[in-house]
Amino acid sequence: SNIPDIITYNCIIFSSMPHDKWHETLKGERMEIVDEDCIEITGDNSTSKWNSAFLENIASDGIHHWKFQVEVQHSSGWAWVIGICQIDENKPDDKVYIVNHQWVSGDTYSYAWIAGCSKLNGDGRTKCSDTKYGDHSAKNGDVIDMYLDFNTLQLSYSMNEKDLGKAFDIKKGKYRAAIEMFSKGEKMRLLSYNYKIR
């Protein structure tokens, strides 16, 4: 081969690196992918309320780590939700992926941190628990890490490098990462994604 060994090696390493990105179609009608890593609420606020967006990768084993940044935040409460949605291939997409409303209201289990009010979404359904989780509501510039560990069946988060501890014991299954926003101009960026077996 005329290709130097170092180039071949680098190509193999790069191609094996984990990557995730916003799904092109599994997103609300008011959402636009600004670049590969950033998603934004566009359009008139009166046309809808919550909009949700899913990422591409389906997670079912190992340890997954997503790092997000709140780029523009205007609203609070249920307006900022970050978590995972269980995939059920026996159900139609419109029952699993709720894109033009709160994605945690779908027909499968969802686990999420309601970062807009520092609470969790109860037992994997839309109900908001009274358990406080996190020091403050999400604001511009905050970096939020989400860890999905299938070895321990746990979901946990950190904010601005502060470990917030376990958020949920999850059910074994297949999941996609998802977020929810509310107001026009709000932006969320996926900074990085990593995956390892153990």
Side-chain angles (χ1 to χ4, degrees), residues 8-24:
T8 302
Y9 173 79
N10 285 341
C11 288
I12 293 172
I13 293 297
F14 180 78
S15 65
S16 65
M17 282 183 175
H19 184 64
D20 205 356
K21 64 180 181 178
W22 303 108
H23 198 286
E24 290 286 341

Side-chain angles (χ1 to χ4, degrees), residues 53-55 66 68 80-86 103-104 110-114 121 144 146 148 155 157 168 175-180:
F54 296 83
L55 282 93
W66 295 266
F68 300 94
W80 285 86
V81 180
I82 302 171
I84 56 172
C85 175
Q86 188 180 40
W103 60 269
V104 293
S110 297
Y111 304 91
W113 179 26
I114 309 163
N121 76 318
I144 298 170
M146 180 171 72
L148 173 59
L155 183 68
Y157 299 83
F168 295 101
Y175 293 87
R176 268 196 168 103
I179 65 104
E180 174 191 310

Side-chain angles (χ1 to χ4, degrees), residues 24-173:
E24 290 286 341
T25 59
L26 297 178
K27 60 182 177 60
E29 62 187 8
R30 297 172 59 227
M31 284 182 153
E32 180 180 338
I33 300 173
V34 180
D35 55 47
E36 185 177 348
D37 300 317
C38 185
I39 195 157
E40 178 181 5
I41 289 277
T42 61
D44 185 349
N45 281 343
S46 66
T47 60
S48 181
K49 292 185 178 180
W50 298 278
N51 263 211
S52 301
F54 296 83
L55 282 93
E56 284 197 349
N57 285 3
I58 295 177
S60 60
D61 62 7
I63 301 171
H64 302 257
H65 171 206
W66 295 266
K67 184 185 290 287
F68 300 94
Q69 184 167 39
V70 179
E71 289 210 340
V72 179
Q73 175 263 345
H74 298 308
S75 47
S76 58
W78 274 86
W80 285 86
V81 180
I82 302 171
I84 56 172
C85 175
Q86 188 180 40
I87 307 305
D88 187 339
E89 295 169 348
N90 295 317
K91 293 183 178 180
D93 283 356
D94 62 353
K95 297 295 184 182
V96 176
Y97 305 112
I98 309 300
V99 295
N100 291 315
H101 197 58
Q102 298 168 328
W103 60 269
V104 293
S105 62
D107 283 359
T108 61
Y109 272 88
S110 297
Y111 304 91
W113 179 26
I114 309 163
C117 62
S118 300
K119 292 186 178 181
L120 302 173
N121 76 318
D123 57 357
R125 296 300 187 184
T126 56
K127 177 182 174 183
C128 180
S129 74
D130 292 326
T131 304
K132 184 173 174 59
Y133 187 85
D135 295 332
H136 65 268
S137 299
K139 65 183 188 305
N140 290 350
D142 280 343
V143 174
I144 298 170
D145 294 84
M146 180 171 72
Y147 303 89
L148 173 59
D149 189 339
F150 284 97
N151 299 319
T152 60
L153 291 179
Q154 293 181 352
L155 183 68
S156 60
Y157 299 83
S158 69
M159 177 181 271
N160 301 327
E161 300 186 354
K162 180 178 180 180
D163 182 10
L164 302 180
K166 182 183 75 172
F168 295 101
D169 293 308
I170 67 163
K171 293 180 177 292
K172 189 171 179 61

